[in-house]
Amino acid sequence: MKIIVVGAVAGGATVASQIRRLCDDDITIYEKDRDMSFANCGLPYYLGGEVSPRNHLVASTPEKFESEKNITVKTYHEVVAIDPEQKEVTVKDIKNNTTFKDQFDYLILSPGASQITLPVLNAPHVFTMRNLEDTDKIHNYIESNAVKDVLVIGAGYISLEILENLKNRKLNVTMLHRSEHLLKSVDKEMTDYIPDILEEHGVRVLLNDEVKSLDGKKVHLKSGRKFDYDMIISALGIQPNTHFIETSGIQLTESGHIKVNDHFQTNYPFIYALGDAIQTKYRHVDYPAQIALAWGTHRAASIIAHNITQIDMIKFNGLLGTNIIRIFDYTFASVGVTPDLLDKFDYDVVTQTQKQHAGYMPNANPLTVTVYYDRSTRKILRASAYGKSGVDKRIDIIATAIIGNLTIDDLKDIEIAYSPVYSSPKDIINMLGYKAK
């Protein structure tokens, strides 16, 4: 059996490794970029010096995959077309500028996503960060050009992580965003505090504005303001890398995401897909989901490997979209449906703020959690949280509660591990249940 995998980062490398544990079939991975199997989520922290040395980001290489797993990885090889009827892909050898065809019994698509770019930002000192190669370019440009002033455009996870790490690198950092709502997966009532947090740590924040034009290093904004920057990093959001699939007959959504079923199969049962380029579903409500997070990709890799190599087929239960980010000394997190989906439900909401542990202990700081729940069934739809400490614990408890089909009222019965240094006799999770009742 011949298995071809498109993409060699988290999804592709993981699913190939999982398959190898279960069978000895012929596996080839085609990767259009320079590197494979690197820690994508760690890239901003390498820029800021928190991750060092650089090779800690690289989990494996084509040579290791060949020698240790008998998996062939061809970098700088881009799959440019798929013919499902012939079970054939067309591959471009980028270095040699040649193309060839390869046959498969199973095809697994993990093409990932790319940063959205704007024509106005086409300049030598403008960068995006999608992979390790981009990160190396940013790092080298900073070093070789004595960069001092940096503009980061966007207010999502990537941009916020980048600007924190560039600030840790002792650079002068400005964040530019076209609206007032930062980090849109988290409640706006919580993220309204982010500009103050950034400014407290020396980041200039420019909201409700956009780049109109570039004149060398001078940036002209639509508001009429002008600033000089040695470097610009654009992080406007991501789009799926599925252009090469459009003429294949593989079904895509209007946004270009690959449609998959509960087994991660496309409309061709011998073609699977995973990662940032797919549309899957929520676990707890009947709505589709496009969630570019690591957990779902790794779970999909395990399920696909099983379904290809075993007689029985297992299903994916769905995603909750549990996410978290550190912004200097604060943490923001959420779980469940995105805020824009809430109007699909008849819901109530409860919010609680209290110290993350006993107030008489040192370093007791406010922690805020908001939970949205169905008015009729009392099932939890979504939660958001922020604070300096304890956010991860509480959002993970709520995620587990959702998986267990617990209601908002059940939160008061969850027995939280108590010690004054960790929580309170009635933890914030319990208090949310009491307040909702």
Side-chain angles (χ1 to χ4, degrees), residues 169-217:
R169 197 165 173 156
K170 310 302 182 185
L171 300 179
N172 302 319
V173 184
T174 299
M175 186 196 74
L176 173 68
H177 188 47
R178 63 181 180 178
S179 76
E180 293 182 351
H181 191 178
L182 286 65
L183 199 63
K184 291 185 177 180
S185 63
V186 178
D187 293 2
K188 187 177 184 300
E189 292 77 10
M190 296 182 179
T191 60
D192 281 346
Y193 294 100
I194 292 179
D196 291 338
I197 295 169
L198 298 179
E199 289 176 345
E200 285 173 6
H201 289 83
V203 177
R204 177 196 285 163
V205 178
L206 305 176
L207 301 179
N208 298 313
D209 214 343
E210 299 178 67
V211 175
K212 179 181 180 181
S213 63
L214 299 180
D215 180 12
K217 299 296 179 70

Side-chain angles (χ1 to χ4, degrees), residues 213-225:
S213 63
L214 299 180
D215 180 12
K217 299 296 179 70
K218 188 173 291 295
V219 177
H220 297 257
L221 302 181
K222 289 186 177 181
S223 64
R225 293 179 290 184

Side-chain angles (χ1 to χ4, degrees), residues 132-164:
L132 185 56
E133 192 168 1
D134 294 337
T135 308
D136 287 338
K137 289 177 181 178
I138 294 170
H139 173 78
N140 293 336
Y141 190 88
I142 292 172
E143 292 292 306
S144 59
N145 291 274
V147 168
K148 293 295 183 184
D149 299 295
V150 183
L151 175 66
V152 178
I153 305 175
Y157 278 89
I158 295 174
S159 55
L160 290 169
E161 289 172 345
I162 288 174
L163 65 87
E164 176 187 351

Side-chain angles (χ1 to χ4, degrees), residues 282-286 319-320 334-337 342 345-350 369-384 394-412 414 429 432-433 436:
Y282 281 105
R283 181 186 180 111
H284 62 311
V285 296
D286 187 21
L319 292 167
L320 296 181
S334 70
V335 61
V337 299
L342 282 172
F345 302 92
D346 179 23
Y347 68 89
D348 276 326
V349 59
V350 60
V369 182
T370 298
V371 179
Y372 301 80
Y373 57 96
D374 186 275
R375 196 186 304 272
S376 174
T377 66
R378 313 284 284 181
K379 294 293 179 66
I380 298 169
L381 301 171
R382 164 181 172 78
S384 272
R394 275 62 177 206
I395 213 71
D396 287 342
I397 290 172
I398 295 174
T400 306
I402 296 174
I403 290 175
N405 289 316
L406 301 187
T407 66
I408 183 68
D409 306 299
D410 291 324
L411 295 186
K412 66 182 182 297
I414 295 179
I429 292 294
L432 288 162

Side-chain angles (χ1 to χ4, degrees), residues 70-280:
N70 193 27
I71 296 174
T72 300
V73 181
K74 294 184 177 293
T75 57
Y76 290 123
H77 280 67
E78 180 180 6
V79 173
V80 294
I82 302 169
D83 186 341
E85 303 302 328
Q86 298 298 319
K87 291 191 172 182
E88 184 178 79
V89 294
T90 302
V91 184
K92 180 179 180 181
D93 182 338
I94 296 173
K95 284 189 172 181
N96 296 316
N97 196 28
T98 59
T99 60
F100 61 90
K101 297 184 184 296
D102 199 1
Q103 302 288 136
F104 61 83
D105 294 296
Y106 285 98
L107 177 64
I108 304 172
L109 302 173
S110 184
S114 296
Q115 282 288 333
I116 297 169
T117 58
L118 298 175
V120 70
L121 297 174
N122 184 19
H125 66 299
V126 179
F127 298 84
T128 60
M129 194 172 75
R130 181 180 68 89
N131 55 28
L132 185 56
E133 192 168 1
D134 294 337
T135 308
D136 287 338
K137 289 177 181 178
I138 294 170
H139 173 78
N140 293 336
Y141 190 88
I142 292 172
E143 292 292 306
S144 59
N145 291 274
V147 168
K148 293 295 183 184
D149 299 295
V150 183
L151 175 66
V152 178
I153 305 175
Y157 278 89
I158 295 174
S159 55
L160 290 169
E161 289 172 345
I162 288 174
L163 65 87
E164 176 187 351
N165 281 282
L166 292 179
K167 193 63 189 177
N168 290 340
R169 197 165 173 156
K170 310 302 182 185
L171 300 179
N172 302 319
V173 184
T174 299
M175 186 196 74
L176 173 68
H177 188 47
R178 63 181 180 178
S179 76
E180 293 182 351
H181 191 178
L182 286 65
L183 199 63
K184 291 185 177 180
S185 63
V186 178
D187 293 2
K188 187 177 184 300
E189 292 77 10
M190 296 182 179
T191 60
D192 281 346
Y193 294 100
I194 292 179
D196 291 338
I197 295 169
L198 298 179
E199 289 176 345
E200 285 173 6
H201 289 83
V203 177
R204 177 196 285 163
V205 178
L206 305 176
L207 301 179
N208 298 313
D209 214 343
E210 299 178 67
V211 175
K212 179 181 180 181
S213 63
L214 299 180
D215 180 12
K217 299 296 179 70
K218 188 173 291 295
V219 177
H220 297 257
L221 302 181
K222 289 186 177 181
S223 64
R225 293 179 290 184
K226 304 174 185 178
F227 301 95
D228 290 314
Y229 294 105
D230 303 316
M231 169 186 275
I232 299 172
I233 300 177
S234 174
L236 300 173
I238 60 174
Q239 57 190 0
N241 292 327
T242 55
H243 180 72
F244 72 102
I245 300 173
E246 292 175 356
T247 60
S248 67
I250 297 171
Q251 291 181 358
L252 302 175
T253 68
E254 289 186 5
S255 59
H257 290 83
I258 305 167
K259 291 184 178 181
V260 296
N261 63 15
D262 291 343
H263 306 296
F264 292 102
Q265 292 168 305
T266 68
N267 52 306
Y268 293 94
F270 49 87
I271 300 178
Y272 290 76
L274 74 163
D276 296 353
I278 72 167
Q279 175 181 276
T280 180

